[in-house]
Amino acid sequence: MNISILGTGIVGRSHAEKLSSLGHTIFIGTNSVEKTRTSTKSDDMGNPAYGVWAISHPEIQLVSFQEAVNASDIVINALKGEISVQILSVYDQTLIGKILIDISNPLDFSTGMPPTLFVSNTDSLGEQIQRTLPKTNVIKTFNTMSAPVQVNPKSLAHGEHTIFLCGNDLVAKNTVISLIKSYGWTHIIDLGDIRASRGMEMLLPNWLSIWQKYNTPLFNIKIVTNEIPTQY
Ligand SMILES: NC(=O)c1ccc[n+]([C@@H]2O[C@H](COP(=O)([O-])OP(=O)(O)OC[C@H]3O[C@@H](n4cnc5c(N)ncnc54)[C@H](OP(=O)(O)O)[C@@H]3O)[C@@H](O)[C@H]2O)c1
């Protein structure tokens, strides 16, 4: 199927590559197609510029945000958190009735490292996006681990680990669960409606501490209980 991704950073590219390998047709949206297509400078993390990465991914179609939103009924938000609401609000009409998979995190780097959260406790970026797009089915997921783990859960050697999701619409959630399963995820926990974005986003400070402790972003958490988990 057609799947669109807003955001050309490491998250957008990782999902583009994965979904393309699974046989989907991928449209990846950017602010300026020409600027992104011709970019050559690596980012601060050493990731190659989109223009360099794209040479080995000719099957992925780089388009404007509007073209990306037009092209698919499933759209992934892989935009920087601080500008997500602003950019998504421009496309509110085109996004009506569609599924928006929200991976963004509300990170605030204005006071340096480590980042803080610009919304938390009584609200979340997932909820802000859902309020901005009241007729779109926003499903928050993937935001609690690094991009390589998001798209390749089996890359972690020591067994099953957990991915969360939340959102208001059950049909949309089931569609996203199918997609998550197709990536290889087996331990999927539905945390309820979109308000559960608060907790999912507030895991980030802990994620940063674990990253510092192990000096690698290639890890995840696993929920263990005495209950028999729901099988997807
Ligand atoms: N990195 C991870 O492993 C990871 C893990 C979990 C969640 N997340 C979340 O996933 C999202 C994407 O992360 P990322 O690291 O791939 O990329 P990012 O650098 O946070 O964002 C990349 C995208 O945001 C757009 N953008 C950035 N600043 C902008 C501005 N001032 N105005 C308009 N557009 C702007 C860029 O547009 P152009 O295409 O035009 O350059 C690009 O498409 C973020 O919300 C992040 O918090 C990241």
Side-chain angles (χ1 to χ4, degrees):
M1 71 177 120
N2 287 2
I3 299 182
S4 294
I5 299 168
L6 306 181
T8 57
I10 191 68
V11 173
R13 291 182 215 179
S14 298
H15 285 267
E17 189 172 37
K18 181 71 177 191
L19 289 163
S20 180
S21 77
L22 292 170
H24 300 291
T25 302
I26 305 304
F27 301 84
I28 189 164
T30 186
N31 284 290
S32 164
V33 172
E34 193 52 22
K35 192 172 160 206
T36 302
R37 192 182 60 76
T38 56
S39 57
T40 54
K41 192 168 173 285
S42 300
D43 70 14
D44 293 343
M45 304 291 284
N47 299 308
Y50 188 92
V52 175
W53 178 85
I55 292 167
S56 52
H57 299 84
E59 73 286 2
I60 293 163
Q61 300 176 55
L62 181 67
V63 295
S64 67
F65 290 137
Q66 182 68 67
E67 289 168 315
V69 170
N70 287 345
S72 310
D73 289 333
I74 297 181
V75 178
I76 296 178
N77 178 32
L79 293 166
K80 187 171 269 188
E82 68 192 56
I83 47 85
S84 284
V85 166
Q86 179 202 324
I87 291 185
L88 290 168
S89 67
V90 175
Y91 308 102
D92 59 345
Q93 294 304 304
T94 321
L95 284 165
I96 288 175
K98 300 192 178 195
I99 293 174
L100 184 80
I101 299 176
D102 177 35
I103 308 181
S104 65
N105 276 315
L107 299 182
D108 177 356
F109 291 94
S110 62
T111 54
M113 286 294 278
T116 55
L117 302 178
F118 62 74
V119 58
S120 62
N121 294 324
T122 54
D123 199 6
S124 62
L125 185 51
E127 288 166 277
Q128 290 182 347
I129 291 171
Q130 182 63 88
R131 287 198 298 274
T132 303
L133 307 170
K135 295 183 176 167
T136 300
N137 298 314
V138 178
I139 307 293
K140 185 104 199 173
T141 189
F142 288 116
N143 70 305
T144 55
M145 74 286 292
S146 63
V149 179
Q150 291 171 21
V151 300
N152 196 4
K154 299 267 193 282
S155 64
L156 298 185
H158 299 296
E160 199 179 44
H161 47 101
T162 306
I163 184 167
F164 304 104
L165 80 159
C166 69
N168 297 340
D169 187 89
L170 287 180
V171 176
K173 241 187 308 202
N174 283 332
T175 301
V176 175
I177 286 169
S178 296
L179 204 63
I180 291 171
K181 283 172 71 178
S182 73
Y183 280 33
W185 285 97
T186 51
H187 198 227
I188 304 165
I189 300 184
D190 177 356
L191 293 175
D193 68 44
I194 194 68
R195 287 172 299 180
S197 296
R198 297 174 194 178
M200 289 171 63
E201 293 170 5
M202 287 192 290
L203 285 172
L204 260 291
N206 199 40
W207 186 94
L208 289 163
S209 299
I210 299 168
W211 179 31
Q212 280 188 327
K213 170 79 181 167
Y214 289 96
N215 201 27
T216 173
L218 302 179
F219 64 85
N220 195 16
I221 57 176
K222 177 178 182 176
I223 302 303
V224 182
T225 75
N226 289 328
E227 304 296 320
I228 299 171
T230 307
Q231 296 295 323
Y232 287 107

PDB file of all heavy atoms in Angstrom, residues 48-74:
ATOM      1  N   PRO A  48      24.427  10.643   7.147  1.00  0.00           N
ATOM      2  CA  PRO A  48      24.636  11.320   5.861  1.00  0.00           C
ATOM      3  C   PRO A  48      23.469  12.235   5.513  1.00  0.00           C
ATOM      4  O   PRO A  48      22.346  12.029   5.976  1.00  0.00           O
ATOM      5  CB  PRO A  48      24.734  10.154   4.860  1.00  0.00           C
ATOM      6  CG  PRO A  48      24.091   8.992   5.530  1.00  0.00           C
ATOM      7  CD  PRO A  48      24.279   9.191   7.008  1.00  0.00           C
ATOM      8  N   ALA A  49      23.759  13.240   4.707  1.00  0.00           N
ATOM      9  CA  ALA A  49      22.685  14.124   4.215  1.00  0.00           C
ATOM     10  C   ALA A  49      21.664  13.289   3.451  1.00  0.00           C
ATOM     11  O   ALA A  49      22.004  12.244   2.878  1.00  0.00           O
ATOM     12  CB  ALA A  49      23.278  15.183   3.303  1.00  0.00           C
ATOM     13  N   TYR A  50      20.416  13.783   3.407  1.00  0.00           N
ATOM     14  CA  TYR A  50      19.377  13.030   2.683  1.00  0.00           C
ATOM     15  C   TYR A  50      19.800  12.794   1.232  1.00  0.00           C
ATOM     16  O   TYR A  50      19.626  11.703   0.694  1.00  0.00           O
ATOM     17  CB  TYR A  50      18.031  13.760   2.733  1.00  0.00           C
ATOM     18  CG  TYR A  50      16.941  12.888   2.149  1.00  0.00           C
ATOM     19  CD1 TYR A  50      16.198  12.054   2.956  1.00  0.00           C
ATOM     20  CD2 TYR A  50      16.716  12.858   0.766  1.00  0.00           C
ATOM     21  CE1 TYR A  50      15.243  11.201   2.415  1.00  0.00           C
ATOM     22  CE2 TYR A  50      15.758  12.015   0.223  1.00  0.00           C
ATOM     23  CZ  TYR A  50      15.032  11.191   1.050  1.00  0.00           C
ATOM     24  OH  TYR A  50      14.099  10.336   0.508  1.00  0.00           O
ATOM     25  N   GLY A  51      20.388  13.828   0.622  1.00  0.00           N
ATOM     26  CA  GLY A  51      20.767  13.719  -0.794  1.00  0.00           C
ATOM     27  C   GLY A  51      21.758  12.595  -1.039  1.00  0.00           C
ATOM     28  O   GLY A  51      21.740  11.962  -2.103  1.00  0.00           O
ATOM     29  N   VAL A  52      22.621  12.341  -0.076  1.00  0.00           N
ATOM     30  CA  VAL A  52      23.609  11.254  -0.195  1.00  0.00           C
ATOM     31  C   VAL A  52      22.910   9.912   0.059  1.00  0.00           C
ATOM     32  O   VAL A  52      23.090   8.947  -0.697  1.00  0.00           O
ATOM     33  CB  VAL A  52      24.763  11.480   0.815  1.00  0.00           C
ATOM     34  CG1 VAL A  52      25.737  10.309   0.809  1.00  0.00           C
ATOM     35  CG2 VAL A  52      25.463  12.806   0.512  1.00  0.00           C
ATOM     36  N   TRP A  53      22.105   9.858   1.124  1.00  0.00           N
ATOM     37  CA  TRP A  53      21.366   8.626   1.468  1.00  0.00           C
ATOM     38  C   TRP A  53      20.449   8.204   0.317  1.00  0.00           C
ATOM     39  O   TRP A  53      20.310   7.015   0.019  1.00  0.00           O
ATOM     40  CB  TRP A  53      20.560   8.884   2.736  1.00  0.00           C
ATOM     41  CG  TRP A  53      19.709   7.759   3.212  1.00  0.00           C
ATOM     42  CD1 TRP A  53      20.087   6.703   4.008  1.00  0.00           C
ATOM     43  CD2 TRP A  53      18.310   7.554   2.929  1.00  0.00           C
ATOM     44  NE1 TRP A  53      19.015   5.875   4.233  1.00  0.00           N
ATOM     45  CE2 TRP A  53      17.906   6.371   3.588  1.00  0.00           C
ATOM     46  CE3 TRP A  53      17.362   8.263   2.195  1.00  0.00           C
ATOM     47  CZ2 TRP A  53      16.599   5.876   3.531  1.00  0.00           C
ATOM     48  CZ3 TRP A  53      16.061   7.774   2.129  1.00  0.00           C
ATOM     49  CH2 TRP A  53      15.694   6.594   2.798  1.00  0.00           C
ATOM     50  N   ALA A  54      19.840   9.178  -0.338  1.00  0.00           N
ATOM     51  CA  ALA A  54      18.839   8.884  -1.376  1.00  0.00           C
ATOM     52  C   ALA A  54      19.440   8.171  -2.583  1.00  0.00           C
ATOM     53  O   ALA A  54      18.728   7.450  -3.288  1.00  0.00           O
ATOM     54  CB  ALA A  54      18.159  10.177  -1.824  1.00  0.00           C
ATOM     55  N   ILE A  55      20.735   8.331  -2.804  1.00  0.00           N
ATOM     56  CA  ILE A  55      21.364   7.700  -3.969  1.00  0.00           C
ATOM     57  C   ILE A  55      21.194   6.178  -3.906  1.00  0.00           C
ATOM     58  O   ILE A  55      20.961   5.518  -4.923  1.00  0.00           O
ATOM     59  CB  ILE A  55      22.862   8.094  -4.043  1.00  0.00           C
ATOM     60  CG1 ILE A  55      22.979   9.587  -4.355  1.00  0.00           C
ATOM     61  CG2 ILE A  55      23.612   7.257  -5.080  1.00  0.00           C
ATOM     62  CD1 ILE A  55      24.380  10.158  -4.153  1.00  0.00           C
ATOM     63  N   SER A  56      21.266   5.621  -2.690  1.00  0.00           N
ATOM     64  CA  SER A  56      21.105   4.164  -2.556  1.00  0.00           C
ATOM     65  C   SER A  56      19.648   3.762  -2.253  1.00  0.00           C
ATOM     66  O   SER A  56      19.382   2.600  -1.963  1.00  0.00           O
ATOM     67  CB  SER A  56      22.050   3.617  -1.489  1.00  0.00           C
ATOM     68  OG  SER A  56      21.897   4.355  -0.296  1.00  0.00           O
ATOM     69  N   HIS A  57      18.732   4.742  -2.313  1.00  0.00           N
ATOM     70  CA  HIS A  57      17.308   4.445  -2.069  1.00  0.00           C
ATOM     71  C   HIS A  57      16.436   5.103  -3.147  1.00  0.00           C
ATOM     72  O   HIS A  57      15.534   5.892  -2.831  1.00  0.00           O
ATOM     73  CB  HIS A  57      16.895   4.933  -0.677  1.00  0.00           C
ATOM     74  CG  HIS A  57      17.655   4.272   0.430  1.00  0.00           C
ATOM     75  ND1 HIS A  57      18.885   4.695   0.863  1.00  0.00           N
ATOM     76  CD2 HIS A  57      17.347   3.178   1.177  1.00  0.00           C
ATOM     77  CE1 HIS A  57      19.317   3.901   1.829  1.00  0.00           C
ATOM     78  NE2 HIS A  57      18.415   2.972   2.041  1.00  0.00           N
ATOM     79  N   PRO A  58      16.704   4.778  -4.421  1.00  0.00           N
ATOM     80  CA  PRO A  58      15.974   5.471  -5.505  1.00  0.00           C
ATOM     81  C   PRO A  58      14.484   5.166  -5.524  1.00  0.00           C
ATOM     82  O   PRO A  58      13.706   5.897  -6.131  1.00  0.00           O
ATOM     83  CB  PRO A  58      16.668   4.932  -6.773  1.00  0.00           C
ATOM     84  CG  PRO A  58      17.255   3.626  -6.364  1.00  0.00           C
ATOM     85  CD  PRO A  58      17.628   3.755  -4.916  1.00  0.00           C
ATOM     86  N   GLU A  59      14.068   4.085  -4.864  1.00  0.00           N
ATOM     87  CA  GLU A  59      12.654   3.692  -4.877  1.00  0.00           C
ATOM     88  C   GLU A  59      11.802   4.568  -3.969  1.00  0.00           C
ATOM     89  O   GLU A  59      10.565   4.549  -4.052  1.00  0.00           O
ATOM     90  CB  GLU A  59      12.528   2.206  -4.473  1.00  0.00           C
ATOM     91  CG  GLU A  59      12.765   1.887  -2.996  1.00  0.00           C
ATOM     92  CD  GLU A  59      14.238   1.936  -2.545  1.00  0.00           C
ATOM     93  OE1 GLU A  59      15.116   2.264  -3.370  1.00  0.00           O
ATOM     94  OE2 GLU A  59      14.495   1.670  -1.355  1.00  0.00           O
ATOM     95  N   ILE A  60      12.419   5.333  -3.073  1.00  0.00           N
ATOM     96  CA  ILE A  60      11.668   6.162  -2.122  1.00  0.00           C
ATOM     97  C   ILE A  60      11.466   7.551  -2.731  1.00  0.00           C
ATOM     98  O   ILE A  60      12.431   8.214  -3.113  1.00  0.00           O
ATOM     99  CB  ILE A  60      12.393   6.194  -0.765  1.00  0.00           C
ATOM    100  CG1 ILE A  60      12.322   4.785  -0.159  1.00  0.00           C
ATOM    101  CG2 ILE A  60      11.789   7.239   0.165  1.00  0.00           C
ATOM    102  CD1 ILE A  60      13.266   4.505   0.938  1.00  0.00           C
ATOM    103  N   GLN A  61      10.202   7.964  -2.810  1.00  0.00           N
ATOM    104  CA  GLN A  61       9.881   9.194  -3.532  1.00  0.00           C
ATOM    105  C   GLN A  61       9.886  10.397  -2.591  1.00  0.00           C
ATOM    106  O   GLN A  61       9.079  10.468  -1.665  1.00  0.00           O
ATOM    107  CB  GLN A  61       8.511   9.034  -4.194  1.00  0.00           C
ATOM    108  CG  GLN A  61       8.484   7.872  -5.175  1.00  0.00           C
ATOM    109  CD  GLN A  61       7.114   7.647  -5.769  1.00  0.00           C
ATOM    110  OE1 GLN A  61       6.527   8.566  -6.348  1.00  0.00           O
ATOM    111  NE2 GLN A  61       6.605   6.435  -5.649  1.00  0.00           N
ATOM    112  N   LEU A  62      10.800  11.330  -2.844  1.00  0.00           N
ATOM    113  CA  LEU A  62      10.891  12.556  -2.050  1.00  0.00           C
ATOM    114  C   LEU A  62       9.915  13.578  -2.627  1.00  0.00           C
ATOM    115  O   LEU A  62      10.000  13.930  -3.809  1.00  0.00           O
ATOM    116  CB  LEU A  62      12.328  13.100  -2.099  1.00  0.00           C
ATOM    117  CG  LEU A  62      12.585  14.364  -1.286  1.00  0.00           C
ATOM    118  CD1 LEU A  62      12.463  14.087   0.216  1.00  0.00           C
ATOM    119  CD2 LEU A  62      13.969  14.935  -1.602  1.00  0.00           C
ATOM    120  N   VAL A  63       8.996  14.046  -1.784  1.00  0.00           N
ATOM    121  CA  VAL A  63       7.929  14.944  -2.245  1.00  0.00           C
ATOM    122  C   VAL A  63       7.704  16.051  -1.204  1.00  0.00           C
ATOM    123  O   VAL A  63       8.280  16.018  -0.109  1.00  0.00           O
ATOM    124  CB  VAL A  63       6.606  14.163  -2.479  1.00  0.00           C
ATOM    125  CG1 VAL A  63       6.747  13.154  -3.606  1.00  0.00           C
ATOM    126  CG2 VAL A  63       6.146  13.475  -1.187  1.00  0.00           C
ATOM    127  N   SER A  64       6.841  16.997  -1.541  1.00  0.00           N
ATOM    128  CA  SER A  64       6.481  18.040  -0.571  1.00  0.00           C
ATOM    129  C   SER A  64       5.577  17.437   0.507  1.00  0.00           C
ATOM    130  O   SER A  64       4.985  16.356   0.319  1.00  0.00           O
ATOM    131  CB  SER A  64       5.736  19.175  -1.279  1.00  0.00           C
ATOM    132  OG  SER A  64       4.479  18.684  -1.735  1.00  0.00           O
ATOM    133  N   PHE A  65       5.424  18.135   1.629  1.00  0.00           N
ATOM    134  CA  PHE A  65       4.512  17.654   2.670  1.00  0.00           C
ATOM    135  C   PHE A  65       3.104  17.458   2.088  1.00  0.00           C
ATOM    136  O   PHE A  65       2.444  16.468   2.363  1.00  0.00           O
ATOM    137  CB  PHE A  65       4.454  18.624   3.846  1.00  0.00           C
ATOM    138  CG  PHE A  65       5.718  18.676   4.680  1.00  0.00           C
ATOM    139  CD1 PHE A  65       6.223  19.895   5.119  1.00  0.00           C
ATOM    140  CD2 PHE A  65       6.376  17.517   5.050  1.00  0.00           C
ATOM    141  CE1 PHE A  65       7.366  19.953   5.904  1.00  0.00           C
ATOM    142  CE2 PHE A  65       7.529  17.562   5.841  1.00  0.00           C
ATOM    143  CZ  PHE A  65       8.023  18.790   6.269  1.00  0.00           C
ATOM    144  N   GLN A  66       2.657  18.439   1.291  1.00  0.00           N
ATOM    145  CA  GLN A  66       1.303  18.341   0.731  1.00  0.00           C
ATOM    146  C   GLN A  66       1.162  17.108  -0.150  1.00  0.00           C
ATOM    147  O   GLN A  66       0.171  16.367  -0.047  1.00  0.00           O
ATOM    148  CB  GLN A  66       0.951  19.605  -0.069  1.00  0.00           C
ATOM    149  CG  GLN A  66      -0.466  19.603  -0.634  1.00  0.00           C
ATOM    150  CD  GLN A  66      -1.533  19.703   0.476  1.00  0.00           C
ATOM    151  OE1 GLN A  66      -1.642  20.721   1.135  1.00  0.00           O
ATOM    152  NE2 GLN A  66      -2.307  18.636   0.674  1.00  0.00           N
ATOM    153  N   GLU A  67       2.135  16.863  -0.997  1.00  0.00           N
ATOM    154  CA  GLU A  67       2.059  15.677  -1.871  1.00  0.00           C
ATOM    155  C   GLU A  67       2.094  14.396  -1.051  1.00  0.00           C
ATOM    156  O   GLU A  67       1.395  13.422  -1.362  1.00  0.00           O
ATOM    157  CB  GLU A  67       3.222  15.695  -2.872  1.00  0.00           C
ATOM    158  CG  GLU A  67       3.081  16.758  -3.939  1.00  0.00           C
ATOM    159  CD  GLU A  67       4.366  16.957  -4.737  1.00  0.00           C
ATOM    160  OE1 GLU A  67       5.460  17.034  -4.140  1.00  0.00           O
ATOM    161  OE2 GLU A  67       4.266  17.051  -5.978  1.00  0.00           O
ATOM    162  N   ALA A  68       2.894  14.398   0.005  1.00  0.00           N
ATOM    163  CA  ALA A  68       2.971  13.203   0.858  1.00  0.00           C
ATOM    164  C   ALA A  68       1.628  12.928   1.515  1.00  0.00           C
ATOM    165  O   ALA A  68       1.129  11.799   1.514  1.00  0.00           O
ATOM    166  CB  ALA A  68       4.064  13.389   1.913  1.00  0.00           C
ATOM    167  N   VAL A  69       1.028  13.949   2.070  1.00  0.00           N
ATOM    168  CA  VAL A  69      -0.259  13.780   2.763  1.00  0.00           C
ATOM    169  C   VAL A  69      -1.345  13.358   1.766  1.00  0.00           C
ATOM    170  O   VAL A  69      -2.215  12.544   2.087  1.00  0.00           O
ATOM    171  CB  VAL A  69      -0.625  15.091   3.499  1.00  0.00           C
ATOM    172  CG1 VAL A  69      -2.038  15.047   4.025  1.00  0.00           C
ATOM    173  CG2 VAL A  69       0.345  15.330   4.640  1.00  0.00           C
ATOM    174  N   ASN A  70      -1.287  13.872   0.544  1.00  0.00           N
ATOM    175  CA  ASN A  70      -2.262  13.502  -0.485  1.00  0.00           C
ATOM    176  C   ASN A  70      -2.151  12.021  -0.866  1.00  0.00           C
ATOM    177  O   ASN A  70      -3.153  11.380  -1.183  1.00  0.00           O
ATOM    178  CB  ASN A  70      -2.033  14.301  -1.782  1.00  0.00           C
ATOM    179  CG  ASN A  70      -2.462  15.748  -1.659  1.00  0.00           C
ATOM    180  OD1 ASN A  70      -3.170  16.114  -0.731  1.00  0.00           O
ATOM    181  ND2 ASN A  70      -2.007  16.568  -2.601  1.00  0.00           N
ATOM    182  N   ALA A  71      -0.919  11.495  -0.827  1.00  0.00           N
ATOM    183  CA  ALA A  71      -0.643  10.214  -1.493  1.00  0.00           C
ATOM    184  C   ALA A  71      -1.133   8.981  -0.754  1.00  0.00           C
ATOM    185  O   ALA A  71      -1.282   7.918  -1.366  1.00  0.00           O
ATOM    186  CB  ALA A  71       0.867  10.094  -1.740  1.00  0.00           C
ATOM    187  N   SER A  72      -1.373   9.061   0.559  1.00  0.00           N
ATOM    188  CA  SER A  72      -1.593   7.838   1.346  1.00  0.00           C
ATOM    189  C   SER A  72      -2.678   8.024   2.399  1.00  0.00           C
ATOM    190  O   SER A  72      -2.921   9.131   2.875  1.00  0.00           O
ATOM    191  CB  SER A  72      -0.294   7.450   2.063  1.00  0.00           C
ATOM    192  OG  SER A  72       0.800   7.429   1.183  1.00  0.00           O
ATOM    193  N   ASP A  73      -3.260   6.896   2.798  1.00  0.00           N
ATOM    194  CA  ASP A  73      -4.228   6.928   3.906  1.00  0.00           C
ATOM    195  C   ASP A  73      -3.552   6.679   5.241  1.00  0.00           C
ATOM    196  O   ASP A  73      -4.180   6.816   6.293  1.00  0.00           O
ATOM    197  CB  ASP A  73      -5.323   5.875   3.673  1.00  0.00           C
ATOM    198  CG  ASP A  73      -6.230   6.278   2.524  1.00  0.00           C
ATOM    199  OD1 ASP A  73      -6.345   7.494   2.276  1.00  0.00           O
ATOM    200  OD2 ASP A  73      -6.780   5.386   1.861  1.00  0.00           O
ATOM    201  N   ILE A  74      -2.294   6.245   5.207  1.00  0.00           N
ATOM    202  CA  ILE A  74      -1.509   6.127   6.436  1.00  0.00           C
ATOM    203  C   ILE A  74      -0.324   7.081   6.309  1.00  0.00           C
ATOM    204  O   ILE A  74       0.451   7.006   5.340  1.00  0.00           O
ATOM    205  CB  ILE A  74      -1.005   4.692   6.665  1.00  0.00           C
ATOM    206  CG1 ILE A  74      -2.198   3.738   6.844  1.00  0.00           C
ATOM    207  CG2 ILE A  74      -0.068   4.629   7.874  1.00  0.00           C
ATOM    208  CD1 ILE A  74      -1.804   2.292   7.102  1.00  0.00           C
TER     209      ILE A  74
END
